[in-house]
Amino acid sequence: MAFQSPRGTEDWLPTTARAWEEFLTRAWRIFGLYGYEPIEVPTFEQKDLFVRGLGEDTDAASKEIFTVYSVGALDTLKKGGHLKASQTLALRPEGTASVVRAIAQHNLVPQGGAPAKLFYAGPMFRAERPQKGRLREFHQLGVECLGATDPSADAEMIIMCMRFFEELGIPREEMTLLINSMGDDACRPAYTEKVRAYMVEHKDELCEDCQRRIETNPLRSFDCKNPQCYEVMEGAPRFSDNLCEPCAERFEAVKGYLDAAGISYVVDPRLVRGFDYYTGTVFEVQVNGESAGLGAQSAIGGGGRYDKLMAEIGGPDVTGLGFALGFERIMLVLEAFGIQLDPGAVRPIYVACVDESVRAKAFGILQQLRDTGIPAVGDTQGRSLKSQLKVAGKSNARAAIIVGPDELAAGKVTLRDMDTHEQEDVTLEDVVARAASLYY
Ligand code: AMP
């Protein structure tokens, strides 16, 4: 075959495509309980939106963005010209920045108005090195709540996220909820300086990227995949010991709400989440990586508060919080736990022709079934009756209606229950109703 799907992308055959639909159905059900509505945003945006939102020195913004140029823009570049910011586009690496942009653009949180509560789902793109559970095109489901300031909103967000995972069937005891606070403008700068000073002391033990991060973004080093950096950062000052009073109080309040809801959690002082836009509460849900067949990739979702993001991208000063879940990784987890999200294909009624003389009549019965809302398929390849019934079996048909010239002359057809193999003659007037009774 000359063409294959690009590296890091996946085709979804019907089983996965149906699972995605089921995933969305359950999302509607759970998020709807908390007052959320759906939103769709473009798959590409002005690149600056993501860079500003995620932070210059995050992997997602610096190395992993797929930049998109129109042919005209590329020509301008080739000729040594400059592009306007609006001409440099990027495939979205995540959904939050776009949703926040849309909320600002359409003024969905008017001053004094109720919070905007929205969820989205769709493909995201990151130019990562593909491996199991890490794709270049993957799918996220995300939730954003803009304008809710109270700590109970943080707790509600976390509870809703856990509830959704349970709705998918992931046992609660297989999940670990990690939480942390990343502070705010009052305490984060001083804390960052402390971490920076610590890293300067240990500079020689850090990888090249982390050495650079000393200047650009020290907190990112908590996330570094290098085992030695991990060791070094274990000894770094902890955010939990350096929060300002309001942030500490807030974090205590969030924990209090979680305790009251019976949600267990682990406070992980290293949890800084991959993007710069987070402030205050952050959280991540992990599953036991090895038992879930995920290898190193054990995070199945996470999020937190991002009170500065809206203002950062030029919108009003409105607080925000949200989370995002990766569909593909969740599917790996479900598979490892033996959970089937795919509700299975519908079982059609198969309409078979004994010979060519009845084809037009069979065609009519097929239409009648579908008009009644019953899935129905028939032969379009001129096969023998025997092989049509084989196809009916393979397509998991609930029943077959066999249309033969002799029966037809008597105003009848044969109805065969494909599960019990029982057959009966049914009049043409009754056949659709009889098929329906088998079906429902
Ligand atoms: P993030 O947006 O990086 O916080 O990731 C949120 C969730 O999206 C993760 O927990 C993963 O489940 C999923 N995810 C992130 N990056 C990828 C990727 N490259 N391939 C597949 N899933 C991903």
Side-chain angles (χ1 to χ4, degrees), residues 213-287:
R213 287 173 183 138
I214 294 179
E215 293 307 319
T216 57
N217 196 342
L219 299 191
R220 277 280 68 74
S221 297
F222 283 113
D223 252 0
C224 184
K225 308 280 183 305
N226 184 314
Q228 196 177 330
C229 295
Y230 186 93
E231 286 287 315
V232 173
M233 295 310 287
E234 267 296 283
R238 316 222 130 179
F239 223 145
S240 40
D241 303 327
N242 288 277
L243 292 173
C244 60
E245 206 158 307
C247 279
E249 268 173 25
R250 203 187 162 81
F251 194 43
E252 284 309 307
V254 174
K255 288 193 280 181
Y257 283 114
L258 293 177
D259 291 336
I263 303 281
S264 46
Y265 54 83
V266 175
V267 176
D268 178 359
R270 302 179 56 111
L271 183 67
V272 291
R273 301 282 308 145
F275 306 146
D276 276 0
Y277 56 55
Y278 288 109
T279 49
T281 313
V282 285
F283 69 99
E284 192 162 284
V285 183
Q286 302 196 335
V287 286

Side-chain angles (χ1 to χ4, degrees), residues 126 128 133-135 138 140 273 275 299-301 324-326 329:
R126 294 184 198 172
E128 305 200 71
R134 190 177 288 274
L135 293 156
F138 60 101
Q140 279 189 345
R273 301 282 308 145
F275 306 146
I300 49 172
L325 317 172
R329 280 191 205 164

